[in-house]
Amino acid sequence: MLVKISVCIPTHRRQPLLRALLEDLRQQDLLPADVVVVDNDAAGSARAVVDEFRAAGCPFELTYAIQPRRSIPLTRNMTVQLATGDWLAFIDDDERAPREWLRLLMECAVAHAADGVLAPVDPRVPESAPAWIRRGDFYNWPRIATGELVPRKNLRFGNLMLRAAPVRALAGPFDPKFGLSAGEDVDMLARFISAGARVVWCDEAEIWEPVDPRRLSLRWILMRGYSGGQSFGLIRFDGTIGKVSLLTRVVLLVQWTLQLLVALVVAAAILPFGRHRAVAWLIKAWANAGKLTAFNGRRYDAYA
């Protein structure tokens, strides 16, 4: 049976990286039926790259559109609306896909009767990065065995393929309230799973991304933890992953506050044994600080 896969790419002013990614997609073992590029730059800065690939000849349909309002969920929503495939593969414009990428995702979905397949992204930290960053492994996400169901705490985008029908059945499917803050991906996936979908891990379908030099700083690393914690707190409180009673809120307030304080104490105590170890605990502290903002609904726009 012929399976149609659409690759969905939101982009914003990363023309050289987008060009490299499209070249990767042109060389896939399992070619997509179509690739949808939605530009979140009102000026249409990615149009020239898409036109270049169309002129050179593509082995797939290449769709381009502009989503002028600065919003990650609205841009992702447009990629879904324009995609025609039975499956939707999501990849970011700064990532690179080896030629076996789509084939491995599809084989895993079939082998494990899954509605979604999540796979790893290997961050390539430049040699010029500070030593404590290279030692800290701050950009990686947890990995599990191929075929295992992905825990809710490990949900994210960047390297993911989902069955299109249940995605389109969700409201949005990405919630516009997330705007330029992080969390629209975790929220959508949590609702996708709550609706009965199975999302499994495929450790072999690895892609990679160069770590942007602007992200090689303590502030960026801590604020990513803060943003992730904030997103988790907001999703936890809106009932996406279970009902939240007054008692639950009190328990979470105490729990997250204690975790914040413990993490700060451990970070200070462990600093003499390596800055990278202390920063790992500071990330936990900042993440819990982000969770606590859910009590007042505050949002940090990580991508503003």
Side-chain angles (χ1 to χ4, degrees):
M1 180 179 69
L2 180 63
V3 177
K4 292 178 62 179
I5 303 174
S6 295
V7 177
C8 299
I9 309 172
T11 189
H12 182 256
R13 298 179 182 175
R14 284 172 167 170
Q15 296 95 309
L17 294 172
L18 176 63
R19 180 178 290 107
L21 172 58
L22 289 175
E23 184 60 40
D24 289 345
L25 297 178
R26 185 155 57 184
Q27 299 180 35
Q28 289 295 297
D29 291 344
L30 176 61
L31 286 169
D34 63 332
V35 174
V36 179
V37 176
V38 175
D39 195 345
N40 200 199
D41 179 8
S45 57
R47 186 188 299 276
V49 175
V50 173
D51 287 346
E52 171 189 323
F53 270 78
R54 284 173 174 162
C58 280
F60 44 71
E61 185 72 23
L62 183 54
T63 301
Y64 173 79
I66 296 174
Q67 200 295 107
R69 178 180 165 189
R70 287 284 284 121
S71 168
I72 299 171
L74 290 181
T75 304
R76 290 196 187 278
N77 283 340
M78 187 174 285
T79 67
V80 173
Q81 292 160 7
L82 295 174
T84 63
D86 308 305
W87 290 83
L88 307 175
F90 296 90
I91 188 168
D92 291 340
D93 60 356
D94 60 344
E95 295 173 334
R96 302 295 305 276
R99 62 186 310 134
E100 67 273 14
W101 173 58
L102 279 179
R103 175 176 56 80
L104 290 173
L105 288 177
M106 193 71 253
E107 288 175 353
C108 185
V110 172
H112 299 281
D115 301 296
V117 180
L118 186 61
V121 178
D122 175 27
R124 304 283 176 87
V125 178
E127 289 296 323
S128 58
W132 66 270
I133 286 183
R134 296 199 307 274
R135 296 175 66 189
D137 197 27
F138 300 118
Y139 306 92
N140 273 310
W141 294 86
R143 297 172 74 150
I144 57 178
T146 295
E148 286 190 13
L149 290 175
V150 179
R152 289 179 185 265
K153 65 180 181 179
N154 290 356
L155 297 178
R156 57 171 175 77
F157 263 52
N159 184 5
L160 175 74
M161 188 175 73
L162 302 175
R163 197 182 299 275
V167 171
R168 294 193 174 102
L170 298 174
F174 298 93
D175 192 334
K177 73 182 180 185
F178 287 94
L180 294 176
S181 66
E184 84 291 337
D185 52 350
V186 176
D187 172 74
M188 190 278 261
L189 277 175
R191 289 185 286 119
F192 184 75
I193 292 172
S194 294
R198 297 181 71 254
V199 178
V200 303
W201 184 259
C202 181
D203 205 55
E204 295 77 19
E206 181 179 80
I207 62 177
W208 63 274
E209 65 174 345
V211 176
D212 191 316
R214 292 171 295 182
R215 298 180 176 182
L216 300 174
S217 70
L218 177 61
R219 183 185 185 281
W220 189 92
I221 290 170
L222 294 182
M223 292 310 294
R224 185 180 73 159
Y226 179 89
S227 177
Q230 182 181 82
S231 298
F232 176 84
L234 293 170
I235 292 168
R236 184 72 179 89
F237 276 11
D238 69 11
T240 300
I241 56 177
K243 295 182 178 180
V244 181
S245 64
L246 177 59
L247 177 60
T248 302
R249 287 175 177 265
V250 173
V251 170
L252 290 175
L253 174 62
V254 173
Q255 177 185 328
W256 293 343
T257 301
L258 288 176
Q259 289 175 343
L260 166 62
L261 296 175
V262 169
L264 288 174
V265 170
V266 174
I270 207 171
L271 180 58
F273 300 96
R275 183 178 179 183
H276 64 292
R277 293 188 173 93
V279 170
W281 280 94
L282 284 178
I283 294 171
K284 298 178 189 293
W286 258 249
N288 280 285
K291 292 175 186 176
L292 289 171
T293 63
F295 286 94
N296 61 20
R298 181 182 177 187
R299 292 184 182 278
Y300 166 64
D301 288 340
Y303 296 97

